[in-house]
Amino acid sequence: MANPPSKPPRGIKTPKETSGLLMTMIRALSATESNEHREIEKTALEREYKRCDQKLEELISMEHQNLARVMHLFTSVSSEINLSRERVHAAKQKLLACKTLLRCKRDELRKFYVESIEQHHMLTQLTQIEQIKEVPFQLNMLESKNQYLQCTKLLMETLQISNNDLKNIDALNELRVELKHKKQALYNRLLDELMNHIYVISPQSAKSFRRTGSDGYNSSFGQSTRRSYKYIPQITTHKDILNDNNETDINELDTEKFVPIAVECLAILFKLNDTIEKLKSTMQTQLVEIVEKTTKQISTTNQSKNAGEQLVTLVNGVILQFYSVVDAHQLFLCSLDKVVDQQLLANVNKYDLKYVWENIESIVQMFLSNYLDVNSHSDLVIKSTPIFSNIDLNVFFSKKKIQRPKQCLFKFSNAFESSSDLLERPFTSITQTHTMICTSSSDNIIYIYEPLTMFIQQIEQSMNMSTCTLSLWLNEYIRTVFLDRQHSKVATTVESITKQADAWHAITTPEQMQELIISRPLLSSTVSIWNNICQIKKLVITMPEYASHFLMIMVSISRSYKETCDSLFTSNIKSCDNTTKLVSYLWIQKHDLVDYLKQSHNWVRREYENKSKKSSLDELKRYTQEADKLFENLEGNDFKVTGVSDINQLRCLAHLLESMEWFGKKLNEISNPESKHYLVPKLNNSKTDNNNLPLSLVETLHQLGKDFQDISDNILLYLYLEVRAQSIYYLLPSFESAIGNTTEPKVLDLNQSVSALHEAMLNAISNSKSQYIFEGLGEIMAKSLVNHTRNIEMIDEIAIRKRIRDITMLKYNIAAMLGASQVTLEKTVHYYELLLCTPKEILEEILEKGATFSEAEYLNLLQIVHRSNKNVEETTSLQNDLKRLSDILSQTKHTFLI
């Protein structure tokens, strides 16, 4: 077959038709007037027609084959069309015949069709009945295999069939009732299993605290381990486990597989809302049950631990189980969201994790209230301002009267009314735990503060809020209850320590000294006070958020103890009789004398490199000047010396001296940021913190340490002066009254007193301080003995020789105590020996050996010798001897000790 005609290509113009030309020519011929013209036109037309015929023949000859093919095809198509028409006509005739026949059998066919439908329906119902009869057995089998999802689907499909397709079959009524009971029983079982997984199985998997060494408790004070509290939600990845294929092998303890399947089953049972309401209504009861069971378990398994360790173990265990409960609830909520989205469920009363955390917070508050003794403070209400703001320090630390409980406190519905909707429900319906592993006390917060703080941080992180209800409650409890009780407790303890009968006499035992690493005993009261401060220091480390409050308590304790020690020192050195004063008390009141002694090169507090190394001659000169200074401060004072301080009293002061020095050093250690014992290592080195100015309090504590060392210095100076006052009392009895007498110096009594004092000081204070107290004592004794000769009226040779022996014994005793020869006492012995010489012998000795004593002392010596001679002629010789003495001293120009 030839190709059909195609459209000419673009750009080639198609020749115009010429048929219109013929009509134009015909009209032109009709309009012509002459025959010639017509003939001409006719001839032209004939010529054109011939040309056209010729052209046509040429074209026909050229396309002959195509034309033949077209004609053949046309003939074939025409034949096919005719045959099709005939077949259509025949089919139409047959259809008309069939129609006629069907019209005749229509009723009979309708009857057969209806009968076939009825038979099919009956067969279907019989099959369903046979299947339904086997459903109870199948349900039991599926339940025994824990295939809850298949069991639920089978049950609901069966109930739907029995209530819809087979609702008119009365024989199935008993089976329907049984299936309804099965539905309720399945719901109850699913609900019980769900509750068991959330509140029993899941928490049991978190009981790592039952294993040895994993209780999260460190034996050091307040240092609970943090590893047990890192809570990382792991539930969000379980949303894809809702799959029928996951139900094949369900472990009864596999919460992650069971909970999603249980949620889907409950959705199929149309029990989601009932389940949610049940979970919400029993949540607090179940949480309380967890606390109660954990308490009983720990009380029976951890009896070897102390109460604090058991409480920490309990809190760790409860918190870990609560984390698992939250995990389980989150798994339930994620599964619930997926089921709701898949099945397009509406009106599902869902709750969120915030609701779970709020209930947990409520139970934790109730649980802690039993152990923190909150019930005795019925006025625990959240306050916005700190309790220490704009309060005078002394007023705050004054002893407070403890409030007695008037009514039961812990109704959580109104315990935090000042905060915004902290809790929605009271705890009146919750049965509080009765089993307790330790006594209720506010001190229990010390052990559980750190794990509780970490728990609160996790709650705030999970709830995406800055401060949760539990945090507000804990903060208010610490501020209004714990700190108040802590202050009262410390104040009572300090008062009981300082008010004891032997508070200023009882000293530490050798075991305590070894434990404290000290060489001299301290007052037990001082050690007890320091132990209390150490307890507060541990609170600073354990509860750094309240460091400023604890620092204020420490400052108050130290300040109060300093005042008490000041009063004790003053009462020991001051006589009750205002008309009678001790020499040592008179000296210690002289500020210029005290400054003079502290500037001395031998002052024990000087740094070693600042002590000037003096020669023995310089030291003697210094001690002699010091003796003169002491005697100068006695002249012109109207006083009496009625006795000396009791050695037991001085020993008490010596112990107080060491105690004050030790206590001051300890305060300086904890208040020095460079020290490893620094009090507040967790505070930032800023000028302020959120509560107060802790660094200013630390500086105050450091200053108190210096004050205690000042007390120690004052006691040391007093002992230094008291030893010298003893010499005045025994060697210068003329000071005993305003009227001088000739009572002999009690050298032997002084010797015994000094020996007893030295022994007491050696056992009570350090060697360096003891050495300082007794250095230069020989000079003050020599000065006293020489001054005593002024009271001699007549020389008694026997008495003088006895006194020489006593002074020699005293000299050897002092030399043995100090480990150095006593040159001044040796000179004093020689001075008394000169009393037995004649004036001539005295003057000749000066000429031969030079002047050993001062001119006044030689004058006194010559006067006594001459006075002892009753010869009147000696009066003239006394004037001569005095003049000769003056000449000899001026000639020799010997430098003697001033």
Side-chain angles (χ1 to χ4, degrees):
M1 181 176 181
N3 294 328
S6 60
K7 185 177 179 180
R10 185 174 298 177
I12 300 176
K13 295 183 179 181
T14 305
K16 296 182 180 180
E17 296 183 358
T18 58
S19 58
L21 181 60
L22 179 60
M23 296 303 298
T24 302
M25 293 179 67
I26 293 173
R27 284 194 296 272
L29 290 174
S30 301
T32 55
E33 297 179 357
S34 62
N35 290 331
E36 292 179 358
H37 187 268
R38 293 191 185 98
E39 286 294 332
I40 294 171
E41 291 295 333
K42 178 181 178 182
T43 302
L45 287 174
E46 288 176 354
R47 190 171 50 254
E48 290 296 329
Y49 276 122
K50 288 179 181 181
R51 189 181 298 116
C52 290
D53 290 340
Q54 184 181 358
K55 187 175 182 180
L56 179 60
E57 289 175 356
E58 292 176 355
L59 292 175
I60 290 173
S61 62
M62 292 174 62
E63 301 294 334
H64 176 72
Q65 293 180 355
N66 293 335
L67 288 175
R69 189 180 294 108
V70 170
M71 293 300 294
H72 178 70
L73 290 174
F74 176 78
T75 302
S76 299
V77 170
S78 179
S79 299
E80 292 294 333
I81 291 174
N82 290 331
L83 290 175
S84 298
R85 285 178 178 176
E86 291 176 358
R87 285 195 294 270
V88 170
H89 181 71
K92 184 177 180 182
Q93 293 299 324
K94 291 179 180 180
L95 288 174
L96 291 175
C98 288
K99 183 178 180 181
T100 302
L101 293 175
L102 288 173
R103 187 178 293 110
C104 296
K105 299 292 184 178
R106 179 171 56 189
D107 296 335
E108 187 178 356
L109 290 173
R110 182 181 292 108
K111 178 180 178 182
F112 288 147
Y113 175 73
V114 171
E115 288 179 357
S116 65
I117 293 176
E118 290 177 354
Q119 292 295 329
H120 178 74
H121 183 66
M122 290 176 63
L123 290 174
T124 303
Q125 285 188 335
L126 288 174
T127 303
Q128 291 176 344
I129 291 173
E130 290 296 328
Q131 293 176 350
I132 289 175
K133 289 171 62 177
E134 300 295 328
V135 166
F137 174 76
Q138 294 176 1
L139 291 175
N140 292 334
M141 183 180 64
L142 291 173
E143 282 192 56
S144 65
K145 295 181 180 180
N146 295 330
Q147 295 181 351
Y148 298 107
L149 186 57
Q150 295 180 15
C151 180
T152 304
K153 288 182 178 179
L154 177 60
L155 175 60
M156 295 304 294
E157 289 174 358
T158 304
L159 282 174
Q160 184 178 7
I161 292 173
S162 64
N163 292 329
N164 294 330
D165 297 342
L166 304 179
K167 64 180 179 179
N168 295 324
I169 300 177
D170 296 335
L172 297 178
N173 288 340
E174 185 176 352
L175 182 60
R176 291 191 189 95
V177 174
E178 182 180 358
L179 291 177
K180 289 181 180 178
H181 288 306
K182 287 280 185 182
K183 177 182 177 182
Q184 185 63 34
L186 179 60
Y187 165 68
N188 292 336
R189 179 171 179 178
L190 287 171
L191 182 59
D192 292 341
E193 288 292 332
L194 183 62
M195 301 275 286
N196 188 53
H197 274 273
I198 293 177
Y199 297 109
V200 179
I201 296 177
S202 181
Q204 281 180 350
S205 64
K207 285 186 179 180
S208 60
F209 64 93
R210 297 190 304 176
R211 300 192 297 270
T212 303
S214 60
D215 57 0
Y217 181 80
N218 192 332
S219 59
S220 61
F221 182 88
Q223 297 296 318
S224 301
T225 56
R226 299 175 180 265
R227 56 183 173 83
S228 300
Y229 289 94
K230 187 61 178 175
Y231 168 68
I232 303 175
Q234 302 176 350
I235 306 302
T236 56
T237 60
H238 302 315
K239 294 180 67 176
D240 297 331
I241 67 175
L242 289 175
N243 193 329
D244 292 348
N245 297 329
N246 292 335
E247 195 193 14
T248 303
D249 297 319
I250 297 181
N251 190 338
E252 293 182 356
L253 301 179
D254 194 346
T255 303
E256 294 184 356
K257 288 186 177 180
F258 173 79
V259 172
I261 292 174
V263 172
E264 188 172 357
C265 292
L266 292 170
I268 295 173
L269 292 173
F270 303 104
K271 292 288 187 177
L272 282 181
N273 282 332
D274 295 341
T275 303
I276 293 172
E277 290 301 321
K278 186 66 175 178
L279 288 176
K280 292 170 66 175
S281 62
T282 60
M283 189 176 296
Q284 291 186 354
T285 304
Q286 293 292 338
L287 295 174
V288 171
E289 186 67 22
I290 290 175
V291 176
E292 181 70 13
K293 283 199 257 186
T294 307
T295 304
K296 291 180 179 178
Q297 180 182 1
I298 293 178
S299 63
T300 56
T301 58
N302 294 331
Q303 295 180 355
S304 61
K305 295 183 178 181
N306 59 41
E309 291 175 337
Q310 287 190 349
L311 181 58
V312 173
T313 303
L314 174 61
V315 173
N316 286 347
V318 169
I319 289 177
L320 287 176
Q321 293 181 82
F322 283 171
Y323 284 153
S324 298
V325 169
V326 174
D327 284 346
H329 276 285
Q330 187 171 0
L331 176 59
F332 172 79
L333 294 174
C334 292
S335 304
L336 181 63
D337 291 338
K338 184 168 184 179
V339 169
V340 169
D341 294 339
Q342 286 179 347
Q343 301 184 15
L344 301 177
L345 300 178
N347 299 324
V348 177
N349 300 323
K350 296 187 293 184
Y351 62 92
D352 54 11
L353 283 182
K354 182 178 180 181
Y355 180 82
V356 180
W357 280 118
E358 287 175 350
N359 281 271
I360 289 177
E361 289 181 82
S362 304
I363 298 304
V364 170
Q365 292 175 25
M366 182 199 71
F367 159 62
L368 294 178
S369 67
N370 294 330
Y371 287 96
L372 300 181
D373 194 20
V374 179
N375 292 332
S376 62
H377 275 252
S378 58
D379 55 347
L380 181 59
V381 181
I382 297 294
K383 300 178 182 179
S384 59
T385 57
I387 61 174
F388 290 107
S389 60
N390 300 324
I391 296 180
D392 180 52
L393 195 65
N394 296 325
V395 174
F396 173 77
F397 283 108
S398 60
K399 188 173 180 181
K400 300 178 181 179
K401 184 179 180 181
I402 300 177
Q403 297 293 331
R404 298 296 180 186
K406 296 181 180 179
Q407 59 183 1
C408 182
L409 161 69
F410 237 72
K411 293 183 178 180
F412 287 90
S413 59
N414 56 9
F416 303 105
E417 292 179 355
S418 60
S419 300
S420 57
D421 299 333
L422 298 179
L423 293 175
E424 296 180 358
R425 298 172 309 283
F427 286 95
T428 54
S429 62
I430 302 298
T431 303
Q432 295 189 5
T433 58
H434 299 287
T435 305
M436 295 185 66
I437 61 176
C438 64
T439 307
S440 177
S441 171
S442 59
D443 289 340
N444 289 333
I445 190 64
I446 300 172
Y447 303 102
I448 64 176
Y449 177 78
E450 184 173 356
L452 194 60
T453 302
M454 298 181 65
F455 181 58
I456 288 173
Q457 291 174 355
Q458 184 57 51
I459 292 176
E460 294 172 350
Q461 180 181 354
S462 301
M463 297 175 64
N464 194 21
M465 60 189 305
S466 59
T467 306
C468 65
T469 305
L470 185 58
S471 176
L472 295 174
W473 179 86
L474 179 63
N475 183 65
E476 187 62 18
Y477 168 79
I478 292 175
R479 289 176 177 273
T480 60
V481 179
F482 175 71
L483 292 177
D484 181 64
R485 292 180 183 177
Q486 197 68 25
H487 167 257
S488 300
K489 174 184 175 182
V490 172
T492 303
T493 303
V494 172
E495 184 178 3
S496 63
I497 291 173
T498 56
K499 297 299 182 182
Q500 291 177 358
D502 60 344
W504 306 109
H505 299 281
I507 58 176
T508 53
T509 62
E511 294 77 11
Q512 291 175 323
M513 292 173 60
Q514 185 177 4
E515 182 180 353
L516 295 172
I517 315 178
I518 55 178
S519 59
R520 294 296 185 272
L522 304 175
L523 293 175
S524 297
S525 59
T526 304
V527 177
S528 299
I529 296 294
W530 174 248
N531 290 336
N532 278 271
I533 289 182
C534 288
Q535 294 297 323
I536 303 299
K537 176 187 174 183
K538 292 176 182 178
L539 293 180
V540 173
I541 299 174
T542 304
M543 309 168 74
E545 294 82 359
Y546 305 94
S548 60
H549 305 290
F550 296 125
L551 282 175
M552 294 172 74
I553 296 177
M554 294 173 67
V555 168
S556 176
I557 295 174
S558 303
R559 183 175 293 157
S560 175
Y561 188 58
K562 181 182 77 70
E563 294 172 355
T564 303
C565 293
D566 270 333
S567 300
L568 173 68
F569 175 55
T570 304
S571 63
N572 282 340
I573 68 175
K574 183 177 181 180
S575 174
C576 297
D577 185 5
N578 292 328
T579 63
T580 306
K581 297 180 180 179
L582 299 178
V583 176
S584 53
Y585 175 74
L586 176 68
W587 280 335
I588 202 69
Q589 301 300 313
K590 301 284 187 177
H591 296 292
D592 55 343
L593 178 60
V594 171
D595 294 339
Y596 172 79
L597 293 176
K598 287 184 177 181
Q599 293 173 3
S600 175
H601 73 281
N602 66 326
W603 172 234
V604 72
R605 300 298 186 193
R606 281 182 178 268
E607 297 294 336
Y608 178 77
E609 58 271 18
N610 293 333
K611 288 185 178 180
S612 57
K613 294 184 178 181
K614 301 287 185 179
S615 63
S616 58
L617 184 60
D618 292 336
E619 288 183 352
L620 289 176
K621 183 177 180 180
R622 175 72 180 183
Y623 291 136
T624 303
Q625 290 175 347
E626 182 180 297
D628 293 339
K629 187 79 172 178
L630 292 176
F631 277 93
E632 287 176 5
N633 281 275
L634 290 177
E635 296 176 359
N637 291 283
D638 183 14
F639 69 93
K640 299 178 182 180
V641 178
T642 59
V644 295
S645 299
D646 181 56
I647 189 170
N648 291 326
Q649 184 182 22
L650 295 178
R651 184 183 291 109
C652 176
L653 287 178
H655 291 313
L656 183 63
L657 159 65
E658 286 292 322
S659 301
M660 295 297 96
E661 181 181 12
W662 178 83
F663 194 79
K665 288 181 179 179
K666 288 294 183 181
L667 288 183
N668 288 335
E669 283 181 359
I670 65 175
S671 58
N672 183 10
E674 304 299 328
S675 173
K676 64 179 181 179
H677 302 291
Y678 185 45
L679 177 66
V680 284
K682 292 187 177 181
L683 288 180
N684 296 326
N685 293 326
S686 59
K687 292 300 182 183
T688 62
D689 69 350
N690 295 332
N691 298 319
N692 209 318
L693 298 173
L695 290 186
S696 64
L697 294 176
V698 172
E699 292 173 358
T700 302
L701 202 62
H702 188 72
Q703 182 60 43
L704 285 171
K706 294 181 180 179
D707 293 341
F708 278 104
Q709 290 188 336
D710 290 342
I711 296 176
S712 175
D713 291 346
N714 291 335
I715 298 174
L716 180 61
L717 283 175
Y718 177 78
L719 294 175
Y720 179 87
L721 295 173
E722 177 60 27
V723 170
R724 283 147 181 78
Q726 297 267 353
S727 302
I728 293 178
Y729 174 74
Y730 287 108
L731 301 181
L732 290 182
S734 59
F735 281 100
E736 187 171 338
S737 61
I739 302 175
N741 58 44
T742 59
T743 304
E744 299 297 328
K746 302 175 182 179
V747 180
L748 292 180
D749 293 341
L750 173 61
N751 195 12
Q752 294 177 356
S753 177
V754 170
S755 298
L757 278 173
H758 185 259
E759 182 180 358
M761 294 300 106
L762 280 180
N763 295 328
I765 61 179
S766 63
N767 292 332
S768 60
K769 290 191 282 290
S770 178
Q771 186 78 11
Y772 168 73
I773 289 175
F774 290 93
E775 279 181 350
L777 186 58
E779 282 69 21
I780 200 73
M781 292 178 177
K783 186 76 173 178
S784 300
L785 289 168
V786 172
N787 289 344
H788 182 268
T789 59
R790 298 173 183 174
N791 300 323
I792 298 178
E793 296 293 337
M794 300 296 293
I795 295 177
D796 184 353
E797 183 177 354
I798 298 176
I800 294 298
R801 294 191 180 279
K802 179 179 180 299
R803 193 171 302 169
I804 291 173
R805 290 195 301 270
D806 294 342
I807 297 173
T808 303
M809 186 182 301
L810 179 63
K811 178 192 69 174
Y812 287 131
N813 186 25
I814 299 298
M817 286 191 302
L818 299 179
S821 60
Q822 296 297 308
V823 179
T824 311
L825 284 177
E826 181 68 29
K827 289 170 54 180
T828 305
V829 171
H830 182 63
Y831 189 81
Y832 272 84
E833 291 175 347
L834 291 177
L835 290 174
L836 302 177
C837 299
T838 63
K840 182 178 180 180
E841 294 173 342
I842 296 173
L843 295 174
E844 288 178 356
E845 179 181 320
I846 299 174
L847 285 173
E848 293 177 2
K849 299 181 180 180
T852 307
F853 303 98
S854 65
E855 183 177 358
E857 291 171 345
Y858 279 119
L859 288 175
N860 179 51
L861 187 61
L862 291 175
Q863 289 175 356
I864 296 173
V865 173
H866 279 278
R867 189 166 53 246
S868 299
N869 191 349
K870 297 182 178 180
N871 191 352
V872 181
E873 295 179 356
E874 292 296 326
T875 305
T876 306
S877 63
L878 174 61
Q879 299 297 329
N880 296 332
D881 289 340
L882 292 178
K883 181 178 180 182
R884 185 180 177 191
L885 172 65
S886 178
D887 295 338
I888 292 173
L889 291 177
S890 62
Q891 290 175 3
T892 57
K893 297 182 179 179
H894 183 74
T895 304
F896 51 85
L897 293 176
I898 299 176

